Amino acid sequence: MEGEEEQPPREADTEPVVMSGASDVVPRVLSGEPQNLSDVDAFNLLLEMKLKRRRERPNLPRTVTELVAEDGSRVYVVGTAHFSDDSKKDVVKTIREVQPDVVVVELCQYRVSMLKMDESTLLREAKEISLEKLQQAVRQNGVMSGLMQMLLLKVSAHITEQLGMAPGGEFREAFKEASKVPFCKFHLGDRPIPVTFKRAIAALSFWQKVKLAWGLCFLSDPISKDDVERCKQKDLLEQMMAEMIGEFPDLHRTIVSERDVYLTYMLRQAARRLELPRSSDAEPRKCVPSVVVGVVGMGHVPGIEKNWTTDLNIQEIMTVPPPSVSGRVSRLAVKAAFLGLLGYGLYWMGRRAASLVLSLPAAQYCLQRASAAWPHK
């Protein structure tokens, strides 16, 4: 039996979110020029302005790794800590220095909503793990994967509560800055989270799942902002996860190593030479190397560097393996335990409610009247 296969992103799918900062720049560029410029002339003016802003030798933060594609395109990978104010500044500085053509972030379409939420809403959402969220995760990913997703959200919520800071601030800053750069596109570069969770769960035995869930449930160590900055060279969230899954090599492979490959693939897809517009078909085509900024967790940077010059095939890591016998048994066990607890809870609440009702004076009076009116043999 073959597993489900998530289709790898086609070329068109590598641009789920596209933004351009040209609209608010055009009036300023054309204010001193004749108003009958062609689209190509206007494009060239904006491109020239963008290239003038782009530094030949940008002054980049130490968290940036520069990679060069075969066609000369450059990729600046910003390694971030997901709960760090300094990481936000690093992202802003890098985008302003290099004026990229594409910005790629470590998000998938299932997590893109965080780009549009304000900090206070995200802070509240991250702290609240409700039954509704659990049901949604189970519907989307299945029972075991949904439960694992909620446990990982609990880890994130624990850090959020300790620091009073919502996750993903560097991605929101990248989104804002990309909108200010003329003709800058914004790509989502991470593997869809349902695929990651399903592959992660499939890699574990039943007892490994129980052991991991136990560790996630009882995570309560206090964390300070100083802890985050000390972990700048290794993202705090990923470090905590690495410590918990260190004894599960297969889990580390699916959550970290495979996503390194996927992120590398998406960065390479974004780093393609750009064809400049032509005023006529007779004009020869002209292409220039592109500039890309990638915003990823610090823990993914070594893997991206390692995979940058290798041949990548993401078909395999997009396939969801069929459930094993132990997986089916564990799902049935979880469902049975849930239904059992639900049934016991309803039974207990029913008994409690009945006892409370029967203890009321009015109920006692009615029972006495009914007993007196009932014919005795």
Side-chain angles (χ1 to χ4, degrees):
M1 178 178 178
E2 294 181 356
E4 302 174 40
E5 182 171 320
E6 184 85 11
Q7 291 298 321
R10 297 166 296 180
E11 183 174 348
D13 295 335
T14 61
E15 302 180 16
V17 181
V18 179
M19 297 188 58
S20 172
S23 58
D24 62 341
V25 181
V26 172
R28 295 199 296 273
V29 173
L30 300 182
S31 59
E33 300 290 336
Q35 298 301 307
N36 59 350
L37 285 176
S38 67
D39 290 341
V40 174
D41 291 334
F43 180 92
N44 288 332
L45 279 172
L46 286 167
L47 183 61
E48 183 181 353
M49 180 184 70
K50 176 178 177 176
L51 294 177
K52 284 181 178 178
R53 288 181 182 175
R54 183 178 288 170
R55 306 284 181 86
E56 289 186 8
R57 294 184 178 179
N59 179 23
L60 299 173
R62 60 182 177 82
T63 53
V64 175
T65 300
E66 182 179 353
L67 302 170
V68 181
E70 292 180 357
D71 63 7
S73 297
R74 295 185 177 275
V75 177
Y76 298 93
V77 182
V78 188
T80 66
H82 295 317
F83 291 86
S84 169
D85 287 328
D86 282 353
S87 286
K88 298 179 189 178
K89 297 173 185 176
D90 290 349
V91 169
V92 171
K93 181 177 178 62
T94 302
I95 293 176
R96 290 179 180 176
E97 286 282 321
V98 305
Q99 294 289 296
D101 303 300
V102 184
V103 172
V104 181
V105 295
E106 185 199 331
L107 289 176
C108 67
Q109 63 266 38
Y110 294 92
R111 293 178 289 156
V112 71
S113 59
M114 71 160 54
L115 295 175
K116 300 177 181 179
M117 293 185 185
D118 58 64
E119 194 80 11
S120 58
T121 303
L122 275 167
L123 197 59
R124 185 176 66 253
E125 287 286 323
K127 289 180 178 179
E128 295 176 357
I129 299 181
S130 61
L131 180 61
E132 182 181 352
K133 287 184 179 179
L134 175 59
Q135 292 172 337
Q136 182 180 356
V138 169
R139 282 196 302 268
Q140 180 177 301
N141 302 315
V143 176
M144 294 304 298
S145 298
L147 290 174
M148 185 63 66
Q149 180 179 349
M150 294 307 295
L151 289 173
L152 292 176
L153 283 176
K154 179 181 180 295
V155 177
S156 179
H158 170 64
I159 301 176
T160 299
E161 187 175 3
Q162 292 283 317
L163 300 181
M165 180 188 301
E170 73 272 32
F171 302 138
R172 289 187 291 280
E173 290 299 324
F175 187 67
K176 293 175 189 175
E177 287 300 315
S179 69
K180 301 175 185 177
V181 179
F183 310 113
C184 181
K185 297 177 181 179
F186 191 90
H187 292 190
L188 305 177
D190 202 1
R191 182 172 64 179
I193 198 168
V195 178
T196 297
F197 279 121
K198 287 176 182 178
R199 285 184 62 84
I201 291 299
L204 297 177
S205 68
F206 175 76
W207 292 113
Q208 285 177 322
K209 293 170 188 173
V210 171
K211 190 173 182 180
L212 179 63
W214 182 269
L216 291 172
C217 283
F218 291 95
L219 176 71
S220 59
D221 295 336
I223 303 163
S224 69
K225 288 191 176 183
D226 289 339
D227 293 330
V228 177
E229 298 310 324
R230 280 198 298 269
C231 293
K232 189 69 177 291
Q233 294 304 317
K234 192 171 185 181
D235 178 57
L236 178 64
L237 181 57
E238 291 180 5
Q239 177 172 308
M240 293 178 68
M241 288 305 303
E243 290 174 355
M244 285 184 289
I245 67 178
E247 56 188 296
F248 309 127
D250 289 334
L251 193 61
H252 184 274
R253 171 177 54 78
T254 54
I255 292 181
V256 180
S257 302
E258 289 183 358
R259 288 173 60 222
D260 291 346
V261 172
Y262 192 91
L263 287 165
T264 306
Y265 175 85
M266 296 301 284
L267 287 168
R268 279 169 35 175
Q269 289 292 306
R272 294 179 172 180
R273 291 176 69 86
L274 301 175
E275 182 178 339
L276 300 181
R278 297 178 293 165
S279 56
S280 68
D281 292 338
E283 185 178 340
R285 296 178 183 273
K286 183 180 179 182
C287 296
V288 296
S290 62
V291 173
V292 178
V293 169
V295 182
V296 303
M298 183 64 71
H300 289 292
V301 176
I304 292 172
E305 286 187 273
K306 175 184 175 182
N307 293 310
W308 184 250
T309 56
T310 61
D311 293 330
L312 301 177
N313 181 3
I314 64 169
Q315 291 278 357
E316 182 183 351
I317 64 172
M318 294 297 290
T319 302
V320 179
S324 62
V325 174
S326 64
R328 290 193 291 268
V329 170
S330 63
R331 280 200 300 274
L332 289 173
V334 169
K335 289 180 181 178
F338 176 77
L339 292 174
L341 288 172
L342 180 63
Y344 178 76
L346 292 174
Y347 168 73
W348 185 85
M349 290 176 64
R351 284 192 58 184
R352 183 67 177 169
S355 299
L356 288 173
V357 170
L358 292 175
S359 65
L360 296 173
Q364 294 287 337
Y365 176 75
C366 290
L367 287 173
Q368 290 175 0
R369 292 288 303 272
S371 178
W374 193 262
H376 296 283
K377 292 183 179 181

